[in-house]
Amino acid sequence: MPWTNQHLKWLEDTGDIITTACGKQAPIYTFNPDMADEAALSAWAKHFRNHYCDDNEIDDLRDGTGLSRKEYLLKTKLPVQKVTAPHEKTGPATRSGDFTEILVSDFLEFNLNYWVPRTRYEFKVNPNLSENGSDVIGFKFSDDGKPKNDELMIYEVKGSLTGNKPSNRLQIAVNDSNKDRFRIAESLNAIKQRLKLKGLQQDVPKVQRFQNIGDRPYKEKYGAASVLTNTMYSDAELNKTDTTGHVNNSALSLLVIKGDALMDLVHFLYQRAADEA
């Protein structure tokens, strides 16, 4: 399997907590990769690349294009680093957004033990556009065997990986999370269809279980995350976050991840993912 959690050893809980204006708490994590750890970096690049293109399928997909694996990924699968044409204008922002979503997906799966299907990016027509629907969805099945205790977690993720004027992206994540209740059905349907297209029929019933909460009740939980480069991080701004307007406030969790020069890290990771294909 291409998936790994080796890179999450660089995600550390600082022990610090932001207390919002409404009294809700958000743990603060730092993400600082060891750029000398070649084995972990290579495993991470493979993990990241396979979100966009399965290593087992890349040769079939590039057949007829005349492109090498690296060229195929950079030209048709991965959002661009620099804009050279009108259809690429959102590429760098999409790189940032995809990276933050995948990082939070990894946190949700490997740290909080949710199952997070990796289907969101592989079927893009334009790699430079973000996908519609909920950012990150995780599934958890109860240990006690009672379906009513199964959990569906829906996370909204907002990043700010460049700049030096802090803004409260966590508040924006909270506000947009409030819309997720209207997107759950379409997001679940998209996940199920993509699993079928990938031949992962064994995973389809796991998603179907959550498609009718009226007849098959479960716990519905929400999350709002902000991923920030250190120059954009501000306790004072984050403290202003107010979640009282969220319709599922009691089931809403918060998360903040920060690190040094994160956009440089994003570009490095995309390039390594292509180089090692």
Side-chain angles (χ1 to χ4, degrees):
M1 291 296 291
W3 314 123
T4 181
N5 65 348
Q6 286 191 51
H7 53 289
L8 291 185
K9 64 187 175 184
W10 302 318
L11 183 65
E12 300 180 5
D13 187 347
T14 66
D16 295 332
I17 293 174
I18 289 292
T19 300
T20 67
C22 58
K24 193 175 283 288
Q25 294 186 327
I28 310 300
Y29 284 76
T30 59
F31 188 62
N32 294 305
D34 178 0
M35 304 307 285
D37 190 340
E38 289 294 322
L41 288 172
S42 185
W44 186 26
K46 180 178 181 179
H47 169 86
F48 201 79
R49 176 177 66 247
N50 275 264
H51 284 80
Y52 293 91
C53 185
D54 193 313
D55 280 350
N56 295 320
E57 297 176 356
I58 188 171
D59 287 334
D60 286 339
L61 292 173
R62 70 185 179 91
D63 192 23
T65 66
L67 301 174
S68 67
R69 293 179 179 178
K70 175 180 176 178
E71 291 169 335
Y72 175 75
L73 289 169
L74 291 175
K75 289 179 179 293
T76 67
K77 281 293 186 180
L78 305 179
V80 299
Q81 177 178 352
K82 295 181 179 179
V83 178
T84 60
H87 73 283
E88 299 174 344
K89 65 180 180 180
T90 58
T94 300
R95 276 193 172 200
S96 172
D98 288 1
F99 171 85
T100 60
E101 290 172 7
I102 293 171
L103 184 60
V104 171
S105 295
D106 294 340
F107 175 81
L108 204 61
E109 179 155 2
F110 298 113
N111 287 40
L112 301 185
N113 299 314
Y114 285 86
W115 171 57
V116 182
R118 308 295 178 141
T119 64
R120 182 166 167 79
Y121 312 97
E122 195 169 356
F123 295 97
K124 288 186 181 184
V125 175
N126 182 348
N128 298 298
L129 295 178
S130 297
E131 281 290 277
N132 293 325
S134 300
D135 292 341
V136 179
I137 294 183
F139 307 81
K140 185 181 288 187
F141 297 88
S142 63
D143 293 332
D144 60 14
K146 297 179 180 179
K148 67 178 182 179
N149 290 326
D150 293 347
E151 296 180 14
L152 181 70
M153 176 67 84
I154 309 103
Y155 250 90
E156 183 70 25
V157 185
K158 296 298 180 187
S160 195
L161 307 190
T162 59
N164 53 23
K165 186 178 180 181
S167 61
N168 193 350
R169 298 289 286 170
L170 185 59
Q171 182 66 65
I172 298 173
V174 169
N175 295 346
D176 283 357
S177 171
N178 212 19
K179 307 170 187 175
D180 271 324
R181 66 189 188 279
F182 302 116
R183 300 185 286 216
I184 293 173
E186 63 185 40
S187 296
L188 291 175
N189 188 60
I191 292 172
K192 184 168 75 171
Q193 288 190 52
R194 291 165 183 161
L195 288 171
K196 282 179 172 289
L197 287 170
K198 287 178 64 63
L200 298 174
Q201 185 63 40
Q202 70 276 11
D203 288 332
V204 170
K206 299 178 186 177
V207 179
Q208 287 182 174
R209 182 266 170 275
F210 293 91
Q211 287 190 288
N212 188 343
I213 193 172
D215 289 347
R216 299 185 295 275
Y218 55 82
K219 294 181 179 179
E220 195 171 85
K221 297 187 175 183
Y222 293 81
S226 182
V227 182
L228 306 162
T229 197
N230 282 332
T231 56
M232 294 297 289
Y233 178 89
S234 166
D235 286 339
E237 286 295 323
L238 293 170
N239 284 143
K240 298 175 184 176
T241 304
D242 186 350
T243 69
T244 54
H246 196 288
V247 69
N248 296 100
N249 186 37
S250 62
L252 176 69
S253 59
L254 304 177
L255 173 68
V256 177
I257 299 173
K258 62 177 181 174
D260 283 325
L262 289 182
M263 199 63 200
D264 290 340
L265 175 64
V266 169
H267 294 321
F268 166 84
L269 182 60
Y270 272 101
Q271 189 61 49
R272 184 156 187 151
D275 288 342
E276 296 185 356

